[in-house]
Amino acid sequence: MSEPNGRQPRAVRAPMRVSEGGASVGALLTRMRGSAFQGRKLGEAFEAWKQMIDGSALICLGLAGSLSSAGMWPLVSWLIERGYVDLVASTCANVTEDVLEARGATVHQVDPEHVDDAELWRARQYRFYDHVVSATDYDAMETFTADFFRHLASSWKHASISGARFMLEYGRWLERQGLSGCIAAVCARHGVPLFVPAAHDGPLAEGYRESGVRGPAVDFFRDYAIALALMERSMAPGRGTVAIFLGGGVPKDFIQITATSVCALRGGAASPHRAAIQITTDNTVYGGLGGASVASECISWGKEAADGVNVMCFTDVTIALPLLCQGLAEHYDATHRRHAGRVVGLEEFLKD
């Protein structure tokens, strides 16, 4: 069907059919791009992520929600290992609760509609909607992080430390504890800056309390300056930046605010992210920041390029992320590693 005003003809919506003969997840996602509703958007997100990987832009990942407790953390670590993510902004829970299973804890499923939470409390089980973990294991994980605070207090020679450097040291410490697959450890090993703007809003706060130490002070405003310098160096007219948001909230806004800040630094010359994907269940009509569409509302702030590939997919991350990662694994062979977007000279940005 032709579009008015000389625009490109509309793509044809194709019916979804079963593909016999062992079709791949990647092929399914490609077919879904021609379907409708959020299936179509998931297919578009797959195509957009491949374009990001094939390009040279800095790929920023916003990581919200309770994804690590849900078992999504190995997928995030895999993305970082492959170079499909170059900068991470996360909630505290997602970069500490991955330590649970890495240290041998077992997470069990429950029926969220019929579980007795009072009985769980008596049985010392903490619930994350449809899965539970032993309170003993969870509390031990928090106590485990207390050892990191003691280590940092004895090894760091300055009165303060940026949040990004704090997370780098945390990742290196996890590596030395044999937990090399955790998100923070993988970021540290590959020089991927990890920002946790609300690090005290999670298990690290209890580790801090238990440690008994009160230094060094974590300077989160310095994180803003570090992120701004990294973004300003990468944003157009350079190779550019792109963003992927798993959920919304503070991690999303931390990545987004840099675009408007770079614009201010450049005297009003907009330097938005060239492309963006958001996977969320937030509804934009309630005015929630996490739901602010990267394909519309965010453009008004100069956070996303109006002519960029901006995809909003309204679905559960625990559905979308495994499919997207499996599709990427099939599209690129097992030896594929992306290096084009890696931050060069991260230590210089984090230097006190």
Side-chain angles (χ1 to χ4, degrees):
M1 178 179 178
S2 297
E3 282 272 326
N5 302 323
R7 295 176 183 171
Q8 292 294 318
R10 291 175 176 150
V12 175
R13 197 275 296 134
M16 286 299 298
R17 294 184 173 89
V18 170
S19 179
E20 305 285 359
S24 70
V25 172
L28 173 63
L29 288 168
T30 298
R31 294 204 313 278
M32 288 170 69
R33 188 183 175 200
S35 63
F37 305 140
Q38 301 313 303
R40 169 186 171 182
K41 288 300 176 182
L42 188 60
E44 290 179 0
F46 180 54
E47 184 62 30
W49 205 332
K50 288 189 293 181
Q51 290 177 22
M52 292 176 181
I53 291 169
D54 292 339
S56 61
L58 182 82
I59 302 178
C60 307
L61 176 69
L63 191 61
S66 187
L67 299 182
S68 283
S69 79
M72 297 292 108
W73 61 272
L75 299 179
V76 177
S77 293
W78 178 83
L79 290 167
I80 298 165
E81 290 271 11
R82 283 285 194 117
Y84 301 164
V85 169
D86 303 309
L87 180 151
V88 178
S90 176
T91 57
C92 178
N94 280 323
V95 294
T96 48
E97 288 175 350
D98 55 355
V99 170
L100 280 167
E101 288 177 288
R103 296 184 72 233
T106 302
V107 180
H108 293 276
Q109 294 179 324
V110 294
D111 182 348
E113 304 304 323
H114 300 98
V115 69
D116 184 336
D117 286 289
E119 177 57 32
L120 288 179
W121 172 250
R122 288 189 290 270
R124 299 283 292 143
Q125 297 280 315
Y126 294 150
R127 181 162 78 99
F128 304 82
Y129 181 58
D130 65 353
H131 51 285
V132 297
V133 66
S134 158
T136 300
D137 286 338
Y138 197 95
D139 295 350
M141 177 266 293
E142 293 179 319
T143 298
F144 171 73
T145 66
D147 288 338
F148 167 67
F149 284 97
R150 298 185 188 106
H151 158 75
L152 188 66
S154 64
S155 61
W156 191 254
K157 304 307 179 186
H158 306 281
S160 66
I161 185 172
S162 70
R165 185 59 188 249
F166 175 91
M167 295 311 303
L168 174 62
E169 296 299 325
Y170 174 63
R172 288 172 172 173
W173 180 79
L174 288 177
E175 185 100 35
R176 290 193 293 272
Q177 309 311 306
L179 305 178
S180 60
C182 292
I183 293 170
V186 177
C187 282
R189 188 163 63 249
H190 290 280
V192 171
L194 172 59
F195 298 95
V196 184
H200 55 286
D201 183 23
L204 284 174
E206 187 64 16
Y208 171 74
R209 184 194 66 77
E210 286 195 36
S211 72
V213 300
R214 295 298 176 263
V218 183
D219 185 350
F220 291 106
F221 280 104
R222 202 183 313 170
D223 273 18
Y224 166 75
I226 293 168
L228 191 55
L230 286 167
M231 296 286 192
E232 202 280 333
R233 185 177 72 173
S234 297
M235 279 184 161
R239 56 197 174 111
T241 58
V242 296
I244 299 163
F245 303 113
L246 304 180
V250 172
K252 177 186 176 184
D253 197 44
F254 186 83
I255 291 170
Q256 293 289 63
I257 200 70
T258 53
T260 57
S261 296
V262 170
C263 176
L265 278 175
R266 296 179 177 178
S271 304
H273 303 300
R274 289 180 166 175
I277 300 166
Q278 184 174 7
I279 299 168
T280 182
T281 54
D282 287 347
N283 193 325
T284 61
V285 302
Y286 299 118
L289 183 62
S293 174
V294 298
S296 56
E297 184 177 336
C298 289
I299 293 171
S300 76
W301 290 85
K303 295 172 180 177
E304 260 74 59
D307 59 351
V309 180
N310 302 314
V311 181
M312 285 294 298
C313 183
F314 291 95
T315 191
D316 189 331
V317 173
T318 63
I319 296 171
L321 187 61
L323 290 171
L324 290 170
C325 288
Q326 186 61 42
L328 293 175
E330 292 170 357
H331 181 76
Y332 301 98
D333 66 52
T335 63
H336 182 261
R337 297 293 183 274
R338 178 181 181 270
H339 302 287
R342 280 287 189 249
V343 172
V344 177
L346 179 61
E347 291 276 357
E348 282 300 308
F349 284 96
L350 303 184
K351 189 166 60 176
D352 287 89

